[in-house]
PDB file of all heavy atoms in Angstrom:
ATOM      1  N   SER A 826      -8.678 -26.274  23.905  1.00  0.00           N
ATOM      2  CA  SER A 826      -8.423 -27.582  23.301  1.00  0.00           C
ATOM      3  C   SER A 826      -7.953 -27.418  21.882  1.00  0.00           C
ATOM      4  O   SER A 826      -8.261 -26.392  21.198  1.00  0.00           O
ATOM      5  CB  SER A 826      -9.707 -28.402  23.305  1.00  0.00           C
ATOM      6  OG  SER A 826     -10.736 -27.734  22.604  1.00  0.00           O
ATOM      7  N   GLU A 827      -7.252 -28.394  21.367  1.00  0.00           N
ATOM      8  CA  GLU A 827      -6.782 -28.333  19.973  1.00  0.00           C
ATOM      9  C   GLU A 827      -7.946 -28.440  19.021  1.00  0.00           C
ATOM     10  O   GLU A 827      -8.921 -29.135  19.309  1.00  0.00           O
ATOM     11  CB  GLU A 827      -5.786 -29.447  19.728  1.00  0.00           C
ATOM     12  CG  GLU A 827      -4.407 -29.148  20.326  1.00  0.00           C
ATOM     13  CD  GLU A 827      -3.350 -30.113  19.856  1.00  0.00           C
ATOM     14  OE1 GLU A 827      -3.593 -30.774  18.816  1.00  0.00           O
ATOM     15  OE2 GLU A 827      -2.323 -30.252  20.532  1.00  0.00           O
ATOM     16  N   LEU A 828      -7.825 -27.697  17.911  1.00  0.00           N
ATOM     17  CA  LEU A 828      -8.939 -27.751  16.946  1.00  0.00           C
ATOM     18  C   LEU A 828      -8.947 -29.079  16.270  1.00  0.00           C
ATOM     19  O   LEU A 828      -7.889 -29.674  15.933  1.00  0.00           O
ATOM     20  CB  LEU A 828      -8.727 -26.616  15.937  1.00  0.00           C
ATOM     21  CG  LEU A 828      -8.964 -25.237  16.438  1.00  0.00           C
ATOM     22  CD1 LEU A 828      -8.284 -24.174  15.527  1.00  0.00           C
ATOM     23  CD2 LEU A 828     -10.438 -24.977  16.549  1.00  0.00           C
ATOM     24  N   ARG A 829     -10.124 -29.584  15.913  1.00  0.00           N
ATOM     25  CA  ARG A 829     -10.283 -30.869  15.292  1.00  0.00           C
ATOM     26  C   ARG A 829     -10.362 -30.577  13.784  1.00  0.00           C
ATOM     27  O   ARG A 829     -11.212 -29.763  13.333  1.00  0.00           O
ATOM     28  CB  ARG A 829     -11.516 -31.564  15.807  1.00  0.00           C
ATOM     29  CG  ARG A 829     -11.685 -33.009  15.294  1.00  0.00           C
ATOM     30  CD  ARG A 829     -12.510 -33.808  16.300  1.00  0.00           C
ATOM     31  NE  ARG A 829     -13.853 -33.251  16.505  1.00  0.00           N
ATOM     32  CZ  ARG A 829     -14.942 -33.652  15.796  1.00  0.00           C
ATOM     33  NH1 ARG A 829     -14.807 -34.620  14.848  1.00  0.00           N
ATOM     34  NH2 ARG A 829     -16.069 -33.109  16.040  1.00  0.00           N
ATOM     35  N   LEU A 830      -9.553 -31.292  13.048  1.00  0.00           N
ATOM     36  CA  LEU A 830      -9.508 -31.115  11.574  1.00  0.00           C
ATOM     37  C   LEU A 830     -10.859 -31.452  10.967  1.00  0.00           C
ATOM     38  O   LEU A 830     -11.462 -32.448  11.310  1.00  0.00           O
ATOM     39  CB  LEU A 830      -8.454 -32.007  10.990  1.00  0.00           C
ATOM     40  CG  LEU A 830      -8.190 -31.887   9.455  1.00  0.00           C
ATOM     41  CD1 LEU A 830      -7.161 -30.781   9.201  1.00  0.00           C
ATOM     42  CD2 LEU A 830      -7.578 -33.239   8.939  1.00  0.00           C
ATOM     43  N   VAL A 831     -11.282 -30.606  10.025  1.00  0.00           N
ATOM     44  CA  VAL A 831     -12.537 -30.911   9.261  1.00  0.00           C
ATOM     45  C   VAL A 831     -12.134 -31.629   7.950  1.00  0.00           C
ATOM     46  O   VAL A 831     -11.341 -31.051   7.194  1.00  0.00           O
ATOM     47  CB  VAL A 831     -13.360 -29.635   8.946  1.00  0.00           C
ATOM     48  CG1 VAL A 831     -14.610 -30.053   8.155  1.00  0.00           C
ATOM     49  CG2 VAL A 831     -13.688 -28.864  10.180  1.00  0.00           C
ATOM     50  N   ARG A 832     -12.646 -32.805   7.817  1.00  0.00           N
ATOM     51  CA  ARG A 832     -12.403 -33.578   6.547  1.00  0.00           C
ATOM     52  C   ARG A 832     -13.711 -34.275   6.214  1.00  0.00           C
ATOM     53  O   ARG A 832     -14.284 -34.909   7.094  1.00  0.00           O
ATOM     54  CB  ARG A 832     -11.290 -34.552   6.716  1.00  0.00           C
ATOM     55  CG  ARG A 832     -11.059 -35.422   5.482  1.00  0.00           C
ATOM     56  CD  ARG A 832     -10.003 -36.522   5.695  1.00  0.00           C
ATOM     57  NE  ARG A 832      -8.702 -35.975   5.884  1.00  0.00           N
ATOM     58  CZ  ARG A 832      -7.779 -36.554   6.617  1.00  0.00           C
ATOM     59  NH1 ARG A 832      -7.993 -37.697   7.276  1.00  0.00           N
ATOM     60  NH2 ARG A 832      -6.554 -36.042   6.688  1.00  0.00           N
ATOM     61  N   LEU A 833     -14.159 -34.106   4.934  1.00  0.00           N
ATOM     62  CA  LEU A 833     -15.394 -34.752   4.555  1.00  0.00           C
ATOM     63  C   LEU A 833     -15.173 -35.919   3.620  1.00  0.00           C
ATOM     64  O   LEU A 833     -15.943 -36.833   3.532  1.00  0.00           O
ATOM     65  CB  LEU A 833     -16.327 -33.744   3.861  1.00  0.00           C
ATOM     66  CG  LEU A 833     -16.722 -32.538   4.733  1.00  0.00           C
ATOM     67  CD1 LEU A 833     -17.718 -31.651   3.967  1.00  0.00           C
ATOM     68  CD2 LEU A 833     -17.366 -33.002   6.062  1.00  0.00           C
ATOM     69  N   ILE A 834     -14.014 -35.861   2.867  1.00  0.00           N
ATOM     70  CA  ILE A 834     -13.670 -36.988   1.969  1.00  0.00           C
ATOM     71  C   ILE A 834     -12.243 -37.475   2.313  1.00  0.00           C
ATOM     72  O   ILE A 834     -11.332 -36.638   2.344  1.00  0.00           O
ATOM     73  CB  ILE A 834     -13.786 -36.584   0.489  1.00  0.00           C
ATOM     74  CG1 ILE A 834     -15.182 -36.089   0.135  1.00  0.00           C
ATOM     75  CG2 ILE A 834     -13.373 -37.732  -0.425  1.00  0.00           C
ATOM     76  CD1 ILE A 834     -15.369 -35.570  -1.272  1.00  0.00           C
ATOM     77  N   GLU A 835     -12.132 -38.750   2.537  1.00  0.00           N
ATOM     78  CA  GLU A 835     -10.810 -39.331   2.877  1.00  0.00           C
ATOM     79  C   GLU A 835      -9.929 -39.388   1.635  1.00  0.00           C
ATOM     80  O   GLU A 835     -10.432 -39.347   0.491  1.00  0.00           O
ATOM     81  CB  GLU A 835     -11.017 -40.790   3.423  1.00  0.00           C
ATOM     82  CG  GLU A 835     -11.801 -40.866   4.708  1.00  0.00           C
ATOM     83  CD  GLU A 835     -11.087 -40.247   5.871  1.00  0.00           C
ATOM     84  OE1 GLU A 835      -9.865 -40.369   5.982  1.00  0.00           O
ATOM     85  OE2 GLU A 835     -11.747 -39.552   6.682  1.00  0.00           O
ATOM     86  N   PRO A 836      -8.629 -39.495   1.845  1.00  0.00           N
ATOM     87  CA  PRO A 836      -7.710 -39.627   0.675  1.00  0.00           C
ATOM     88  C   PRO A 836      -8.082 -40.718  -0.303  1.00  0.00           C
ATOM     89  O   PRO A 836      -7.814 -40.570  -1.485  1.00  0.00           O
ATOM     90  CB  PRO A 836      -6.356 -39.859   1.303  1.00  0.00           C
ATOM     91  CG  PRO A 836      -6.476 -39.187   2.683  1.00  0.00           C
ATOM     92  CD  PRO A 836      -7.902 -39.409   3.106  1.00  0.00           C
ATOM     93  N   ASP A 837      -8.762 -41.756   0.175  1.00  0.00           N
ATOM     94  CA  ASP A 837      -9.091 -42.864  -0.757  1.00  0.00           C
ATOM     95  C   ASP A 837     -10.461 -42.598  -1.426  1.00  0.00           C
ATOM     96  O   ASP A 837     -10.968 -43.413  -2.182  1.00  0.00           O
ATOM     97  CB  ASP A 837      -9.146 -44.196  -0.020  1.00  0.00           C
ATOM     98  CG  ASP A 837     -10.263 -44.258   1.065  1.00  0.00           C
ATOM     99  OD1 ASP A 837     -11.053 -43.336   1.174  1.00  0.00           O
ATOM    100  OD2 ASP A 837     -10.268 -45.296   1.790  1.00  0.00           O
TER     101      ASP A 837
END
Side-chain angles (χ1 to χ4, degrees):
Chain A
S826 60
E827 282 190 22
L828 288 161
R829 188 155 60 93
L830 184 85
V831 180
R832 177 186 291 151
L833 300 183
I834 300 176
E835 297 294 320
D837 66 6

